[in-house]
Amino acid sequence: MAARGVGLLTRLPTCARRSQVLRPTHRLLSCPGTVAADARREEQSSGSAETGSEDRTRKTRFSEVQKERREQAQRTILILCPNKISEKKFLKYLSQHGSINNHFFFESFGLYAVVEFCQKESVASLQNVTRTPSMGTEAAIPFRSRFFNLKLKNPSNQTSEQSCIPCSNQLPPSSKKLFELLCDAESIDDQLNTLLKEFQLTEENTKLRHLTCSLIEDIAAAYFPDCAVRPFGSSVNGFGKLGCDLDMFLDLDEIGKFSTHKTSGNFLMEFQVKNVPSERIATQKILSVIGECLDHFGPGCVGVQKILNARCPLVRFSHQASGFQCDLTTNNRIALKSSELLYIYGALDSRVRALVFSIRCWARAHSLTSSVPGAWITNFSLTMMVIFFLQTRSPPILPTLDYLKTLADAEDKCIIEGHNCTFIGDLNGIKPSRNTETLEILLKEFFEYFGNFAFNKNSINIRQGREQNKPEPSPLHIQNPFETSLNISKNVSHSQLQKFVDLARESAWILHQEDKAHSSPPSNQPWGLAALLLPSVAKSMSHAKKKRKKPASERIKNLLESIKSSSTENSTNTNGKRTVSTQA
């Protein structure tokens, strides 16, 4: 299922102020102390925290979150339901097998239910009374999964009790709806928090992602009984948006692990195994077999592609029920460690995720990023740029990776394939920033910082949080935080980088012009972040370039310098919202 991202906001009607938006009702029950309960608390406090304020709530380790999510997924089932169904009778029927912790419905090629039992044994109880369907002229491949198909013996009996079942939304808002919400916001800070709230993964979507990995794990376990299929990337790092792909890796490290306390005497027992020339060949063979299983036996897995000769071999497929586009790799531990690092950065300060989501949305609106591989800047690169920028503030909003390494204890020590991936895992051991800059200032300063960044000679390095000389001639150099010899933005062309710089300068100029006006935004015109998403901004500047001898970006750079010069002499604050920053 293709996700509806935010494209170019063209020909949209002027937005009405204070419009009311109805959100879907969710059936989500959660016990205190669970991930679901923590997520609900975060949603309730999202956007309401004071800038730079210290959050004294205990923050959960990444590993603890992932462990609990996996346990939840193992006692959860996915059911394709009839369109006409009584929710009350449906839950009563399932409750015969055990208490239900929570459930929700969603639509994707039909009506689906995700049901989490309180005990894992309830799943086995339901499987024991489930039959393999009769396919008539076709033959069914029997497979005991946690993906079920519910049919009604007598549909007419439930028609009278059937009511409209509320479905959880699994997609981001349309361009029109987002535009209206942004225009209805009270301030630019409110706009960024609104965009975050609308685009971030919901509790239901997160549960569905972990369940999908768990269902794939059931298939892989036929060959590797002690394996785990773990999600990584945007699905778990806190920066994923509704509709993003699901990256997962097959973790085989627990298979055959040596336990000293189980040995006795002078004997050492080992498994008989097949040997292959290299780790890469082993990976290719394993993924080839798993790909075949998904294609032939995996319920709901369609469009399976085995891309085994890539730098990182993978199996790509669509999980039809959840609507996720999935990439499966094996033993990709560095990627999981990168996910943990981003999770920590996103959890340290409420401004981080709001700024990253808005910059990514801005980049996508102007075609700076793309879902198709090419010479474009990636979302990961943009996230690294935001983190680096926040490390350069005075005082810094985010610590450097080297500093996080100094806080690590023996439990945190991590060496993967010779790369030092050590950093503190306990968020509670990191002091919060004393920086109190608003999101409006940070958005403005981000565009100005990178609109004037010396990309021709400097690289971006979040390990040290300062500019360094580029080790190679690539247009954009962003050091991989763990595999430090790699440039994560090596694919970016000079023309795409220049486009980013031009748009950054133009966006900074627009925000400075709005701030210079010192007036409330008109109700019939886009303003703030909404104005930055309009393609007419970039296009009009592009057309103006052709008519002027001096490039538009240089002209805007000069205008920005004059605006900042005057603002240094006379800094103004209106209603506590519109503040002109004088920081370089």
Short mmCIF file of all heavy atoms in Angstrom, two decimals, residues 413-473:
data_model
loop_
_atom_site.label_atom_id
_atom_site.label_comp_id
_atom_site.label_asym_id
_atom_site.label_seq_id
_atom_site.Cartn_x
_atom_site.Cartn_y
_atom_site.Cartn_z
N LYS A 413 29.58 -1.18 26.76
CA LYS A 413 30.67 -1.40 25.81
C LYS A 413 30.20 -2.27 24.66
O LYS A 413 29.60 -3.33 24.86
CB LYS A 413 31.86 -2.05 26.50
CG LYS A 413 33.08 -2.16 25.59
CD LYS A 413 34.31 -2.69 26.32
CE LYS A 413 35.50 -2.76 25.37
NZ LYS A 413 36.71 -3.30 26.05
N CYS A 414 30.46 -1.80 23.43
CA CYS A 414 29.95 -2.51 22.24
C CYS A 414 30.92 -2.34 21.08
O CYS A 414 31.15 -1.22 20.60
CB CYS A 414 28.57 -1.96 21.88
SG CYS A 414 27.84 -2.73 20.43
N ILE A 415 31.51 -3.44 20.64
CA ILE A 415 32.37 -3.46 19.46
C ILE A 415 31.72 -4.37 18.43
O ILE A 415 31.49 -5.55 18.71
CB ILE A 415 33.79 -3.97 19.79
CG1 ILE A 415 34.40 -3.18 20.95
CG2 ILE A 415 34.68 -3.89 18.55
CD1 ILE A 415 34.65 -1.72 20.66
N ILE A 416 31.40 -3.83 17.27
CA ILE A 416 30.75 -4.61 16.21
C ILE A 416 31.63 -4.59 14.97
O ILE A 416 31.91 -3.52 14.41
CB ILE A 416 29.36 -4.04 15.86
CG1 ILE A 416 28.45 -4.02 17.11
CG2 ILE A 416 28.70 -4.88 14.76
CD1 ILE A 416 27.10 -3.36 16.86
N GLU A 417 32.11 -5.76 14.57
CA GLU A 417 32.95 -5.91 13.36
C GLU A 417 34.13 -4.94 13.40
O GLU A 417 34.50 -4.34 12.38
CB GLU A 417 32.10 -5.68 12.10
CG GLU A 417 30.97 -6.69 11.94
CD GLU A 417 30.02 -6.32 10.81
OE1 GLU A 417 30.29 -5.33 10.10
OE2 GLU A 417 29.00 -7.00 10.65
N GLY A 418 34.70 -4.77 14.57
CA GLY A 418 35.87 -3.91 14.71
C GLY A 418 35.56 -2.44 14.90
O GLY A 418 36.47 -1.63 15.11
N HIS A 419 34.28 -2.06 14.86
CA HIS A 419 33.88 -0.65 15.02
C HIS A 419 33.42 -0.40 16.45
O HIS A 419 32.61 -1.17 16.99
CB HIS A 419 32.77 -0.29 14.04
CG HIS A 419 33.13 -0.54 12.60
ND1 HIS A 419 34.04 0.22 11.91
CD2 HIS A 419 32.69 -1.50 11.72
CE1 HIS A 419 34.14 -0.23 10.67
NE2 HIS A 419 33.34 -1.28 10.54
N ASN A 420 33.92 0.67 17.03
CA ASN A 420 33.55 1.01 18.40
C ASN A 420 32.18 1.69 18.40
O ASN A 420 32.05 2.84 17.96
CB ASN A 420 34.60 1.94 19.02
CG ASN A 420 34.44 2.04 20.53
OD1 ASN A 420 33.33 1.90 21.06
ND2 ASN A 420 35.53 2.29 21.23
N CYS A 421 31.18 1.00 18.88
CA CYS A 421 29.80 1.51 18.91
C CYS A 421 29.35 1.76 20.35
O CYS A 421 28.17 1.62 20.68
CB CYS A 421 28.85 0.53 18.23
SG CYS A 421 29.27 0.13 16.53
N THR A 422 30.30 2.14 21.19
CA THR A 422 30.00 2.32 22.61
C THR A 422 29.43 3.70 22.90
O THR A 422 29.97 4.71 22.44
CB THR A 422 31.28 2.12 23.45
OG1 THR A 422 31.80 0.81 23.20
CG2 THR A 422 30.99 2.28 24.94
N PHE A 423 28.34 3.76 23.64
CA PHE A 423 27.79 5.00 24.18
C PHE A 423 26.82 4.63 25.29
O PHE A 423 26.36 3.50 25.38
CB PHE A 423 27.10 5.85 23.10
CG PHE A 423 26.01 5.14 22.35
CD1 PHE A 423 24.71 5.08 22.83
CD2 PHE A 423 26.29 4.51 21.13
CE1 PHE A 423 23.71 4.42 22.13
CE2 PHE A 423 25.29 3.85 20.42
CZ PHE A 423 23.99 3.80 20.92
N ILE A 424 26.51 5.57 26.14
CA ILE A 424 25.64 5.31 27.27
C ILE A 424 24.24 4.92 26.80
O ILE A 424 23.69 5.53 25.87
CB ILE A 424 25.58 6.53 28.22
CG1 ILE A 424 24.75 6.21 29.46
CG2 ILE A 424 25.04 7.76 27.49
CD1 ILE A 424 24.80 7.29 30.54
N GLY A 425 23.67 3.90 27.42
CA GLY A 425 22.33 3.46 27.04
C GLY A 425 21.25 3.97 27.98
O GLY A 425 20.07 3.99 27.62
N ASP A 426 21.67 4.42 29.16
CA ASP A 426 20.71 4.91 30.16
C ASP A 426 20.48 6.40 29.97
O ASP A 426 21.35 7.23 30.29
CB ASP A 426 21.25 4.63 31.56
CG ASP A 426 20.25 5.02 32.65
OD1 ASP A 426 19.10 5.39 32.31
OD2 ASP A 426 20.62 4.94 33.84
N LEU A 427 19.32 6.76 29.45
CA LEU A 427 18.99 8.17 29.20
C LEU A 427 19.01 9.00 30.47
O LEU A 427 19.26 10.21 30.43
CB LEU A 427 17.60 8.25 28.56
CG LEU A 427 17.51 7.87 27.08
CD1 LEU A 427 16.12 7.37 26.76
CD2 LEU A 427 17.86 9.05 26.21
N ASN A 428 18.74 8.36 31.59
CA ASN A 428 18.68 9.09 32.86
C ASN A 428 20.05 9.54 33.35
O ASN A 428 20.15 10.35 34.27
CB ASN A 428 18.00 8.22 33.93
CG ASN A 428 16.63 7.74 33.49
OD1 ASN A 428 15.68 8.50 33.43
ND2 ASN A 428 16.52 6.45 33.15
N GLY A 429 21.11 9.03 32.73
CA GLY A 429 22.47 9.42 33.09
C GLY A 429 22.99 10.59 32.29
O GLY A 429 24.16 10.97 32.44
N ILE A 430 22.15 11.17 31.42
CA ILE A 430 22.56 12.30 30.58
C ILE A 430 21.86 13.57 31.06
O ILE A 430 20.63 13.61 31.13
CB ILE A 430 22.22 12.04 29.10
CG1 ILE A 430 22.78 10.68 28.65
CG2 ILE A 430 22.78 13.15 28.21
CD1 ILE A 430 22.31 10.24 27.27
N LYS A 431 22.63 14.58 31.39
CA LYS A 431 22.04 15.82 31.88
C LYS A 431 21.32 16.55 30.75
O LYS A 431 21.84 16.65 29.64
CB LYS A 431 23.13 16.73 32.47
CG LYS A 431 23.74 16.22 33.76
CD LYS A 431 24.76 17.19 34.31
CE LYS A 431 25.35 16.69 35.62
NZ LYS A 431 26.37 17.62 36.17
N PRO A 432 20.12 17.09 31.02
CA PRO A 432 19.39 17.85 29.99
C PRO A 432 20.08 19.16 29.65
O PRO A 432 20.82 19.71 30.48
CB PRO A 432 18.01 18.08 30.63
CG PRO A 432 18.26 18.00 32.10
CD PRO A 432 19.36 17.01 32.29
N SER A 433 19.83 19.66 28.46
CA SER A 433 20.44 20.91 28.01
C SER A 433 19.85 22.11 28.74
O SER A 433 18.67 22.12 29.10
CB SER A 433 20.23 21.07 26.50
OG SER A 433 20.63 22.35 26.06
N ARG A 434 20.68 23.14 28.92
CA ARG A 434 20.21 24.40 29.51
C ARG A 434 19.75 25.38 28.43
O ARG A 434 19.34 26.50 28.73
CB ARG A 434 21.33 25.03 30.34
CG ARG A 434 21.68 24.23 31.59
CD ARG A 434 22.82 24.88 32.38
NE ARG A 434 24.10 24.76 31.69
CZ ARG A 434 24.72 25.77 31.08
NH1 ARG A 434 24.16 26.96 31.05
NH2 ARG A 434 25.88 25.58 30.49
N ASN A 435 19.85 24.97 27.18
CA ASN A 435 19.43 25.83 26.06
C ASN A 435 17.91 25.97 26.05
O ASN A 435 17.18 24.99 26.17
CB ASN A 435 19.90 25.20 24.74
CG ASN A 435 19.61 26.09 23.53
OD1 ASN A 435 18.46 26.39 23.24
ND2 ASN A 435 20.65 26.48 22.83
N THR A 436 17.42 27.23 25.93
CA THR A 436 15.98 27.49 25.96
C THR A 436 15.46 28.11 24.66
O THR A 436 14.40 28.74 24.65
CB THR A 436 15.64 28.43 27.13
OG1 THR A 436 16.37 29.67 26.97
CG2 THR A 436 15.98 27.80 28.47
N GLU A 437 16.18 27.94 23.57
CA GLU A 437 15.74 28.52 22.29
C GLU A 437 14.43 27.87 21.84
O GLU A 437 14.21 26.68 22.02
CB GLU A 437 16.81 28.33 21.22
CG GLU A 437 18.05 29.17 21.46
CD GLU A 437 19.14 28.87 20.44
OE1 GLU A 437 19.58 27.70 20.39
OE2 GLU A 437 19.54 29.78 19.71
N THR A 438 13.58 28.68 21.24
CA THR A 438 12.31 28.16 20.73
C THR A 438 12.51 27.43 19.42
O THR A 438 13.54 27.59 18.73
CB THR A 438 11.31 29.31 20.50
OG1 THR A 438 11.84 30.17 19.46
CG2 THR A 438 11.08 30.12 21.77
N LEU A 439 11.52 26.63 19.03
CA LEU A 439 11.57 25.94 17.74
C LEU A 439 11.60 26.93 16.59
O LEU A 439 12.22 26.66 15.55
CB LEU A 439 10.36 25.00 17.61
CG LEU A 439 10.46 23.68 18.36
CD1 LEU A 439 9.11 22.98 18.38
CD2 LEU A 439 11.50 22.77 17.73
N GLU A 440 10.93 28.05 16.74
CA GLU A 440 10.93 29.07 15.69
C GLU A 440 12.35 29.57 15.43
O GLU A 440 12.79 29.66 14.27
CB GLU A 440 10.04 30.24 16.09
CG GLU A 440 10.04 31.37 15.05
CD GLU A 440 9.10 32.50 15.41
OE1 GLU A 440 8.36 32.38 16.39
OE2 GLU A 440 9.10 33.51 14.68
N ILE A 441 13.08 29.86 16.50
CA ILE A 441 14.47 30.31 16.34
C ILE A 441 15.31 29.22 15.72
O ILE A 441 16.10 29.46 14.79
CB ILE A 441 15.05 30.72 17.71
CG1 ILE A 441 14.39 32.00 18.22
CG2 ILE A 441 16.57 30.91 17.63
CD1 ILE A 441 14.81 32.40 19.61
N LEU A 442 15.16 28.00 16.19
CA LEU A 442 15.97 26.89 15.69
C LEU A 442 15.69 26.61 14.21
O LEU A 442 16.62 26.31 13.45
CB LEU A 442 15.71 25.63 16.52
CG LEU A 442 16.18 25.69 17.98
CD1 LEU A 442 15.74 24.45 18.74
CD2 LEU A 442 17.70 25.85 18.06
N LEU A 443 14.44 26.68 13.80
CA LEU A 443 14.10 26.46 12.40
C LEU A 443 14.78 27.51 11.52
O LEU A 443 15.38 27.20 10.49
CB LEU A 443 12.59 26.51 12.21
CG LEU A 443 12.07 26.25 10.79
CD1 LEU A 443 12.35 24.82 10.37
CD2 LEU A 443 10.57 26.54 10.69
N LYS A 444 14.68 28.76 11.96
CA LYS A 444 15.28 29.87 11.22
C LYS A 444 16.80 29.71 11.14
O LYS A 444 17.41 29.86 10.07
CB LYS A 444 14.91 31.16 11.95
CG LYS A 444 14.75 32.37 11.07
CD LYS A 444 14.26 33.60 11.79
CE LYS A 444 13.68 33.38 13.15
NZ LYS A 444 13.14 34.60 13.76
N GLU A 445 17.39 29.42 12.30
CA GLU A 445 18.84 29.31 12.37
C GLU A 445 19.37 28.09 11.62
O GLU A 445 20.48 28.10 11.09
CB GLU A 445 19.28 29.26 13.83
CG GLU A 445 19.03 30.55 14.60
CD GLU A 445 19.96 31.66 14.21
OE1 GLU A 445 21.11 31.38 13.83
OE2 GLU A 445 19.54 32.83 14.25
N PHE A 446 18.59 27.02 11.57
CA PHE A 446 19.00 25.83 10.80
C PHE A 446 19.18 26.20 9.33
O PHE A 446 20.20 25.86 8.71
CB PHE A 446 17.97 24.71 10.93
CG PHE A 446 18.24 23.52 10.04
CD1 PHE A 446 19.06 22.49 10.46
CD2 PHE A 446 17.68 23.44 8.76
CE1 PHE A 446 19.32 21.40 9.63
CE2 PHE A 446 17.93 22.36 7.94
CZ PHE A 446 18.76 21.33 8.37
N PHE A 447 18.19 26.86 8.77
CA PHE A 447 18.26 27.24 7.36
C PHE A 447 19.42 28.20 7.11
O PHE A 447 20.13 28.09 6.10
CB PHE A 447 16.95 27.87 6.91
CG PHE A 447 15.81 26.89 6.80
CD1 PHE A 447 14.60 27.14 7.41
CD2 PHE A 447 15.95 25.72 6.07
CE1 PHE A 447 13.54 26.24 7.30
CE2 PHE A 447 14.91 24.81 5.96
CZ PHE A 447 13.71 25.07 6.58
N GLU A 448 19.63 29.11 8.03
CA GLU A 448 20.72 30.07 7.84
C GLU A 448 22.08 29.40 8.01
O GLU A 448 23.02 29.69 7.26
CB GLU A 448 20.57 31.22 8.84
CG GLU A 448 21.56 32.34 8.58
CD GLU A 448 21.17 33.62 9.26
OE1 GLU A 448 19.98 33.79 9.58
OE2 GLU A 448 22.06 34.45 9.50
N TYR A 449 22.17 28.49 8.98
CA TYR A 449 23.45 27.81 9.23
C TYR A 449 23.90 27.02 8.00
O TYR A 449 25.05 27.15 7.55
CB TYR A 449 23.31 26.89 10.44
CG TYR A 449 24.56 26.13 10.80
CD1 TYR A 449 25.56 26.74 11.55
CD2 TYR A 449 24.75 24.81 10.39
CE1 TYR A 449 26.73 26.05 11.89
CE2 TYR A 449 25.90 24.12 10.72
CZ TYR A 449 26.89 24.74 11.48
OH TYR A 449 28.04 24.06 11.79
N PHE A 450 23.00 26.21 7.45
CA PHE A 450 23.39 25.40 6.30
C PHE A 450 23.29 26.16 4.98
O PHE A 450 23.86 25.73 3.99
CB PHE A 450 22.56 24.11 6.26
CG PHE A 450 23.01 23.10 7.27
CD1 PHE A 450 22.23 22.78 8.37
CD2 PHE A 450 24.24 22.48 7.15
CE1 PHE A 450 22.65 21.87 9.32
CE2 PHE A 450 24.68 21.56 8.10
CZ PHE A 450 23.89 21.25 9.18
N GLY A 451 22.59 27.29 4.98
CA GLY A 451 22.61 28.15 3.79
C GLY A 451 23.96 28.81 3.60
O GLY A 451 24.29 29.27 2.50
N ASN A 452 24.76 28.87 4.68
CA ASN A 452 26.09 29.49 4.62
C ASN A 452 27.21 28.52 4.99
O ASN A 452 28.34 28.95 5.21
CB ASN A 452 26.12 30.69 5.58
CG ASN A 452 25.17 31.79 5.17
OD1 ASN A 452 25.39 32.47 4.19
ND2 ASN A 452 24.08 31.94 5.92
N PHE A 453 26.89 27.23 5.08
CA PHE A 453 27.88 26.23 5.45
C PHE A 453 28.89 26.03 4.34
O PHE A 453 28.53 26.01 3.14
CB PHE A 453 27.18 24.90 5.76
CG PHE A 453 28.06 23.86 6.40
CD1 PHE A 453 28.25 23.85 7.77
CD2 PHE A 453 28.69 22.90 5.63
CE1 PHE A 453 29.04 22.88 8.37
CE2 PHE A 453 29.49 21.93 6.21
CZ PHE A 453 29.68 21.93 7.59
N ALA A 454 30.17 25.88 4.70
CA ALA A 454 31.24 25.70 3.70
C ALA A 454 31.32 24.23 3.30
O ALA A 454 32.25 23.50 3.68
CB ALA A 454 32.56 26.18 4.27
N PHE A 455 30.33 23.79 2.52
CA PHE A 455 30.29 22.38 2.09
C PHE A 455 31.48 22.01 1.23
O PHE A 455 31.85 20.84 1.14
CB PHE A 455 29.00 22.11 1.31
CG PHE A 455 27.76 22.08 2.17
CD1 PHE A 455 26.85 23.11 2.12
CD2 PHE A 455 27.51 21.01 3.02
CE1 PHE A 455 25.69 23.08 2.89
CE2 PHE A 455 26.37 20.98 3.81
CZ PHE A 455 25.46 22.01 3.75
N ASN A 456 32.09 23.01 0.58
CA ASN A 456 33.21 22.73 -0.33
C ASN A 456 34.46 22.27 0.40
O ASN A 456 35.32 21.59 -0.18
CB ASN A 456 33.53 23.97 -1.17
CG ASN A 456 33.93 25.15 -0.30
OD1 ASN A 456 33.41 25.32 0.80
ND2 ASN A 456 34.85 25.98 -0.79
N LYS A 457 34.57 22.58 1.70
CA LYS A 457 35.78 22.18 2.42
C LYS A 457 35.52 21.46 3.75
O LYS A 457 36.41 20.80 4.28
CB LYS A 457 36.68 23.39 2.66
CG LYS A 457 36.06 24.47 3.53
CD LYS A 457 37.06 25.60 3.73
CE LYS A 457 36.48 26.67 4.66
NZ LYS A 457 37.44 27.77 4.88
N ASN A 458 34.30 21.58 4.30
CA ASN A 458 34.04 21.01 5.62
C ASN A 458 33.09 19.82 5.58
O ASN A 458 32.24 19.72 4.69
CB ASN A 458 33.46 22.07 6.56
CG ASN A 458 34.49 23.12 6.93
OD1 ASN A 458 35.69 22.85 6.93
ND2 ASN A 458 34.03 24.32 7.25
N SER A 459 33.24 18.93 6.55
CA SER A 459 32.36 17.77 6.68
C SER A 459 31.56 17.87 7.98
O SER A 459 31.87 18.67 8.86
CB SER A 459 33.17 16.47 6.68
OG SER A 459 33.96 16.38 7.86
N ILE A 460 30.53 17.05 8.08
CA ILE A 460 29.64 17.03 9.25
C ILE A 460 29.95 15.77 10.05
O ILE A 460 29.94 14.66 9.51
CB ILE A 460 28.17 17.07 8.79
CG1 ILE A 460 27.88 18.42 8.14
CG2 ILE A 460 27.23 16.81 9.95
CD1 ILE A 460 26.56 18.47 7.41
N ASN A 461 30.18 15.95 11.36
CA ASN A 461 30.65 14.85 12.18
C ASN A 461 29.99 14.96 13.56
O ASN A 461 30.36 15.81 14.36
CB ASN A 461 32.18 14.93 12.29
CG ASN A 461 32.76 13.85 13.19
OD1 ASN A 461 32.03 13.04 13.77
ND2 ASN A 461 34.08 13.84 13.33
N ILE A 462 28.99 14.11 13.83
CA ILE A 462 28.28 14.19 15.11
C ILE A 462 29.09 13.56 16.25
O ILE A 462 28.71 13.71 17.41
CB ILE A 462 26.88 13.54 15.04
CG1 ILE A 462 26.97 12.02 14.91
CG2 ILE A 462 26.05 14.16 13.93
CD1 ILE A 462 25.65 11.32 15.16
N ARG A 463 30.18 12.89 15.93
CA ARG A 463 31.04 12.35 16.99
C ARG A 463 31.68 13.49 17.78
O ARG A 463 31.80 13.43 19.00
CB ARG A 463 32.13 11.45 16.42
CG ARG A 463 31.68 10.02 16.25
CD ARG A 463 32.86 9.07 16.14
NE ARG A 463 32.41 7.69 16.34
CZ ARG A 463 32.33 7.08 17.50
NH1 ARG A 463 32.68 7.73 18.58
NH2 ARG A 463 31.91 5.83 17.59
N GLN A 464 32.12 14.51 17.06
CA GLN A 464 32.81 15.62 17.71
C GLN A 464 31.98 16.90 17.73
O GLN A 464 32.31 17.84 18.45
CB GLN A 464 34.15 15.87 17.03
CG GLN A 464 35.08 14.67 17.12
CD GLN A 464 36.44 14.93 16.49
OE1 GLN A 464 36.76 16.05 16.13
NE2 GLN A 464 37.25 13.89 16.36
N GLY A 465 30.91 16.96 16.93
CA GLY A 465 30.03 18.11 16.96
C GLY A 465 30.66 19.40 16.47
O GLY A 465 30.26 20.50 16.88
N ARG A 466 31.61 19.29 15.57
CA ARG A 466 32.23 20.50 15.00
C ARG A 466 32.65 20.22 13.56
O ARG A 466 32.83 19.07 13.16
CB ARG A 466 33.42 20.95 15.83
CG ARG A 466 34.50 19.91 16.04
CD ARG A 466 35.58 20.41 17.00
NE ARG A 466 36.55 19.37 17.33
CZ ARG A 466 37.61 19.08 16.59
NH1 ARG A 466 37.85 19.74 15.46
NH2 ARG A 466 38.45 18.12 16.97
N GLU A 467 32.80 21.30 12.82
CA GLU A 467 33.18 21.18 11.42
C GLU A 467 34.61 20.67 11.31
O GLU A 467 35.48 21.03 12.09
CB GLU A 467 33.06 22.54 10.73
CG GLU A 467 31.64 23.12 10.78
CD GLU A 467 31.58 24.56 10.30
OE1 GLU A 467 32.55 25.00 9.67
OE2 GLU A 467 30.58 25.22 10.58
N GLN A 468 34.82 19.81 10.30
CA GLN A 468 36.15 19.26 10.05
C GLN A 468 36.44 19.30 8.56
O GLN A 468 35.52 19.35 7.74
CB GLN A 468 36.25 17.82 10.55
CG GLN A 468 36.22 17.68 12.06
CD GLN A 468 36.43 16.24 12.50
OE1 GLN A 468 35.83 15.33 11.95
NE2 GLN A 468 37.29 16.03 13.48
N ASN A 469 37.71 19.26 8.21
CA ASN A 469 38.08 19.23 6.80
C ASN A 469 37.60 17.93 6.17
O ASN A 469 37.70 16.86 6.76
CB ASN A 469 39.59 19.35 6.64
CG ASN A 469 40.10 20.72 7.03
OD1 ASN A 469 39.38 21.72 6.91
ND2 ASN A 469 41.33 20.79 7.52
N LYS A 470 37.08 18.05 4.94
CA LYS A 470 36.58 16.86 4.25
C LYS A 470 37.73 15.93 3.87
O LYS A 470 38.73 16.37 3.31
CB LYS A 470 35.82 17.27 2.97
CG LYS A 470 34.47 17.85 3.22
CD LYS A 470 33.56 17.76 2.00
CE LYS A 470 34.08 18.52 0.82
NZ LYS A 470 33.10 18.55 -0.29
N PRO A 471 37.58 14.63 4.14
CA PRO A 471 38.63 13.68 3.78
C PRO A 471 38.55 13.24 2.32
O PRO A 471 39.43 12.52 1.84
CB PRO A 471 38.38 12.51 4.72
CG PRO A 471 36.91 12.53 4.96
CD PRO A 471 36.51 13.98 4.92
N GLU A 472 37.49 13.64 1.62
CA GLU A 472 37.31 13.24 0.22
C GLU A 472 36.57 14.35 -0.52
O GLU A 472 35.95 15.23 0.10
CB GLU A 472 36.51 11.92 0.14
CG GLU A 472 35.13 12.01 0.77
CD GLU A 472 34.32 10.74 0.55
OE1 GLU A 472 34.87 9.65 0.73
OE2 GLU A 472 33.13 10.87 0.20
N PRO A 473 36.59 14.35 -1.85
CA PRO A 473 36.02 15.47 -2.62
C PRO A 473 34.51 15.40 -2.87
O PRO A 473 34.00 16.15 -3.70
CB PRO A 473 36.80 15.39 -3.94
CG PRO A 473 37.10 13.93 -4.11
CD PRO A 473 37.35 13.41 -2.72
#
